[in-house]
Amino acid sequence: TTFSVADIRKSFLDFFASKGHTVVASSPLVPGNDPTLMFTNSGMVQFKDVFLGEDKRPYVRAASVQACLRAGGKHNDLENVGYTARHHTFFEMLGNWSFGDYFKRESLIWGWELLTQVYKLPAERLLATVYHEDEEAYDIWTKDIGLPPERVIRIGDNKGAKYASDNFWMMADTGPCGPCSEIFYDHGPHIPGGPPGSPDEDGDRFIEIWNHVFMQFDMQPDGSVKKLPAPCVDTGMGLERLAAILQHVHSNYEIDIFDNLVKAAARETHTTDLDNKSLRVIADHIRATAFLVADGVIPSNEGRGYVQRRIIRRAIRHGYKLGQKKPFFHKLVPDLVALMGVAYPKLVADEKKIAETLKAEEEGFFRTIANGMSILEGELLEGVATLSGKVAFTLHDTFGFPLDLTQDVCRERGVNVDEAGFWEEMKKQKERSREGTDWGPDRKVEYAGAGNTFTGYEHLEEQAKVVALYFEGASVNELTEGQP
Ligand code: ATP
Ligand code: MG
Ligand code: MG
Ligand code: MG
C-alpha cells in the first residue's frame, strides 16, 4: 500500500485517538499572544501555557497535525530550502502530547508501534538518538523495544559539542524545553551522509523523522531553568519526511503534494527540467506565503510582514532565474488550494485574497528586479570572492533586494556577501536621513517600499540595530522593545 499525505494525517490521528488522545485542530502560523516567538515552529506552540501550568485543558493527552513555519527566530530553515532533501519553510508536523500524564516509555513504545506496525517501516532501517545522560530512554530503546545498541546513539546538548546535532529541544530562547530522543530513517548507502553524531551527519542519508521531547523545564531569560509543574511529552514528526519514506522516494520534494506543486511551478515558468532546484524553492515558498496570508500576514517592511516579503521575493527571484519577466507566482495558488484546501479550508476561503496579495507584491518587485539583477550580475562577472556591503546595500535600498535574497544569488556562485559592510551602510544611511540630507541619486529610482525599507521607528539608528538583531534571529519581543 502507498500512503498519500491525506492517508498519513488520518492514520496518525486515528492511532493516537485509539490511545486516548483528543484530536486538536492546527493553530495559526502566528502564535496568539506570544511575543517570544515569530511563528508557530512546532506542534507544541499552542500548548505552551499548558506545559507551564498556566492553562488547563479538559484532556491530558492530545494529538494534532500542525501547520508550521521555520523562517525566522530560533528555528529557521529558509537557507536550507533548495539545498537539502528534507527542509521546508512551511511543513506539517504530526504530534502527540502528554500533559503530566504518560512519559518516556509510552511515548517511545507507541511511536515504535505506529512506525513499524501501522506504517510498516522496516525496523532495520531505523535508528534512535537519546540525550547523552538519559539512561532511562536508552534502556527503553535497547531493552523494551529491542533496538540493537549500535543503533542507539547518545547525543549531547550542543554546548561545546563537535557537531550540530542537539538532543535538548527548546521552543525558543526561553520557555518549555527538555532532553529528547529522535528517530532516524536510513535512506541507504547510495545517498551521501553519516549517522547522527558523525561529522557528515548533515547529509541526507540518515533523515530525522520524529522527535520525542521529554518536557521538564522552563528556560528563563538568564539561562537558568525552572522545573515544570509536571513532566510532559511533546513529540513532532515531519509529515513530508514520513511521506517520502512511505511513497518510496528520497526527497520530500518528490512526495505527492510536492510533485504536483513542482509541476505547477514548471508550467508557470515554462521549465522542462523537473529536477531544477528553483522549482522546489518556488513550490516550497507558495505554501509558506499562501498560509501566511491566510493567517493574516501581509508583506510589509517589518517583523513578520518582512519575513513574508522576503519569502515572496526569493520565489520571484527563482522564477526570474528561470526566465520569468512578469508575475507568475500567484498563478500557483489554485494548484495549492486544490492540493491542500480540503485539509485547510481557510485556503479555500481566502483563495482570492492570497492570489491578489502575492500578485501585488510581484508587480512591485518585477519593476526593479531586472535592474537589480543586472547590477548584481555585473559584480559577479568581475569574479569577486566577496560582494561588497555597499553593493548589497544599494540592491536592498534601491531595488528592494532583501539581504538574504542577494546572499541566495551569491551562494549559487560560491560568493560571500560582506554582511558587516552592509549593516555599516545601513547605519550611515540612517544617519544621513536623520540630518535630512539628500540620500543620493539612487533614491530617485521609483519603487514604493524599497527606499527607506524599514519605516515606523522614530530613531533610525536603533532601527538599523533592530534589523541586524532580527537577522540574527532575535525574538519579536526583543525587536519591538522601545518601538514607538
Ligand atoms: P533537522 O535536524 O532535520 O533540521 P530538527 O531537529 O530541526 O530537524 P525538530 O525541531 O526536532 O527538527 O522538529 C521535529 C520534526 O519536524 C523533525 O524530526 C522533522 O521530522 C520535522 N521537521 C523539522 N524541521 C523541518 C523542516 N524545515 N521541514 C520539514 N520537516 C521538518
Ligand atoms: Mg532543524
Ligand atoms: Mg535535528
Ligand atoms: Mg530534532
Side-chain angles (χ1 to χ4, degrees):
T1 42
T2 321
F3 286 86
S4 69
V5 158
D7 297 335
I8 298 170
R9 287 191 198 104
K10 184 174 184 309
S11 45
F12 181 88
L13 295 175
D14 287 349
F15 178 83
F16 281 103
S18 81
K19 309 278 187 203
H21 291 62
T22 298
V23 172
V24 178
S26 178
S27 64
L29 289 181
V30 176
N33 212 5
D34 187 349
T36 71
L37 201 59
M38 176 96 56
F39 298 113
T40 296
N41 58 17
S42 57
M44 59 72 68
V45 168
Q46 66 169 317
F47 303 115
K48 180 184 173 187
D49 289 345
V50 186
F51 291 119
L52 297 176
E54 291 163 9
D55 185 12
K56 271 236 166 319
R57 300 285 165 98
Y59 44 79
V60 291
R61 296 179 182 186
S64 82
V65 179
Q66 175 67 49
C68 295
L69 189 73
R70 293 194 173 185
K74 180 164 167 56
H75 298 273
N76 183 355
D77 287 321
L78 189 54
E79 309 304 326
N80 287 325
V81 173
Y83 288 91
T84 73
R86 68 188 196 277
H87 288 106
H88 306 295
T89 54
F90 174 93
F91 64 101
E92 293 176 82
M93 192 182 281
L94 308 163
N96 60 282
W97 292 275
S98 153
F99 306 118
D101 184 38
Y102 63 83
F103 203 41
K104 298 180 189 181
R105 184 172 310 273
E106 291 83 348
S107 184
L108 295 177
I109 289 176
W110 288 340
W112 185 257
E113 181 187 333
L114 177 65
L115 292 179
T116 57
Q117 287 173 38
V118 177
Y119 296 126
K120 305 217 179 330
L121 299 190
E124 65 279 6
R125 292 265 201 141
L126 297 169
L127 297 81
T129 64
V130 296
Y131 185 62
H132 62 140
E133 292 163 352
D134 191 346
E135 298 307 328
E136 193 186 347
Y138 186 87
D139 286 348
I140 295 168
W141 278 116
T142 52
K143 294 180 185 147
D144 296 284
I145 294 171
L147 210 58
E150 63 273 16
R151 281 197 278 133
V152 183
I153 301 167
R154 294 174 191 265
I155 304 270
D157 58 11
N158 205 9
K159 291 200 181 67
K162 251 162 96 196
Y163 311 117
S165 60
D166 177 352
N167 270 37
F168 191 88
W169 198 87
M170 314 207 301
M171 178 196 89
D173 294 333
T174 59
C177 55
C180 62
S181 177
E182 300 192 314
I183 304 171
F184 285 70
Y185 182 81
D186 181 1
H187 278 266
H190 58 294
I191 292 162
S198 73
D200 51 351
E201 65 174 9
D202 249 350
D204 277 324
R205 172 173 169 185
F206 296 89
I207 290 190
E208 177 189 327
I209 53 172
W210 200 351
N211 191 352
H212 291 239
V213 185
F214 309 123
M215 289 287 192
Q216 291 159 83
F217 309 106
D218 177 14
M219 183 70 72
Q220 304 298 303
D222 66 2
S224 65
V225 290
K226 271 195 200 155
K227 268 192 145 178
L228 293 180
C232 296
V233 168
D234 157 35
T235 88
M237 172 156 59
L239 170 65
E240 297 82 358
R241 294 185 189 187
L242 178 62
I245 300 169
L246 294 173
Q247 295 176 15
H248 312 291
V249 293
H250 171 237
S251 167
N252 286 13
Y253 290 90
E254 297 167 73
I255 67 171
D256 51 5
I257 285 185
F258 271 101
D259 189 42
N260 283 298
L261 285 175
V262 163
K263 283 181 181 142
R267 182 191 72 224
E268 293 306 333
T269 59
H270 313 288
T271 306
T272 44
D273 174 17
L274 290 178
D275 289 331
N276 190 306
K277 135 194 154 159
S278 289
L279 296 179
R280 296 182 171 196
V281 176
I282 293 166
D284 173 86
H285 290 5
I286 192 65
R287 301 208 310 167
T289 56
F291 274 82
L292 278 173
V293 175
D295 286 340
V297 181
I298 52 161
S300 76
N301 286 333
E302 57 190 29
R304 298 182 174 112
Y306 193 54
V307 177
Q308 166 74 311
R309 168 157 286 167
R310 285 163 52 211
I311 303 173
I312 300 172
R313 290 189 180 180
R314 280 174 89 110
I316 297 169
R317 204 282 299 180
H318 280 279
Y320 184 83
K321 190 181 173 197
L322 295 173
Q324 291 316 293
K325 297 284 185 295
K326 50 186 199 334
F328 69 95
F329 188 50
H330 67 282
K331 293 182 187 160
L332 274 74
V333 171
D335 300 274
L336 178 69
V337 172
L339 291 162
M340 299 191 74
V342 172
Y344 296 92
K346 64 186 169 190
L347 288 180
V348 181
D350 279 338
E351 176 166 359
K352 198 158 161 254
K353 182 180 169 200
I354 295 166
E356 279 168 3
T357 304
L358 298 181
K359 188 168 177 224
E361 184 71 9
E362 286 193 271
E363 282 167 348
F365 195 45
F366 267 112
R367 287 166 58 196
T368 61
I369 189 172
N371 286 332
M373 281 306 295
S374 63
I375 290 176
L376 183 48
E377 290 293 350
E379 290 290 313
L380 293 172
L381 272 180
E382 301 281 308
V384 292
T386 303
L387 187 81
S388 80
K390 202 158 174 27
V391 173
F393 183 72
T394 301
L395 289 171
H396 161 89
D397 189 48
T398 309
F399 301 99
F401 282 35
L403 177 61
D404 69 284
L405 186 152
T406 300
Q407 287 170 317
D408 190 34
V409 178
C410 289
R411 183 178 174 187
E412 291 171 356
R413 317 285 184 87
V415 170
N416 285 321
V417 178
D418 175 12
E419 261 191 65
F422 174 89
W423 294 113
E424 195 50 43
E425 292 298 322
M426 174 76 87
K427 194 172 147 227
K428 278 197 237 158
Q429 188 215 56
K430 301 313 168 195
E431 282 163 5
R432 279 197 300 274
S433 72
R434 197 161 52 167
E435 288 156 17
T437 53
D438 184 18
W439 291 18
D442 51 11
R443 293 305 320 270
K444 295 201 178 90
V445 177
E446 273 216 3
Y447 176 68
N452 184 8
T453 302
F454 307 91
T455 55
Y457 297 99
E458 209 139 294
H459 303 288
L460 294 167
E461 252 182 56
E462 265 162 44
Q463 176 190 320
K465 231 166 53 195
V466 160
V467 175
L469 280 173
Y470 170 73
F471 277 101
E472 283 163 26
S475 69
V476 178
N477 200 18
E478 289 166 305
L479 293 181
T480 48
E481 221 170 86
Q483 184 186 340

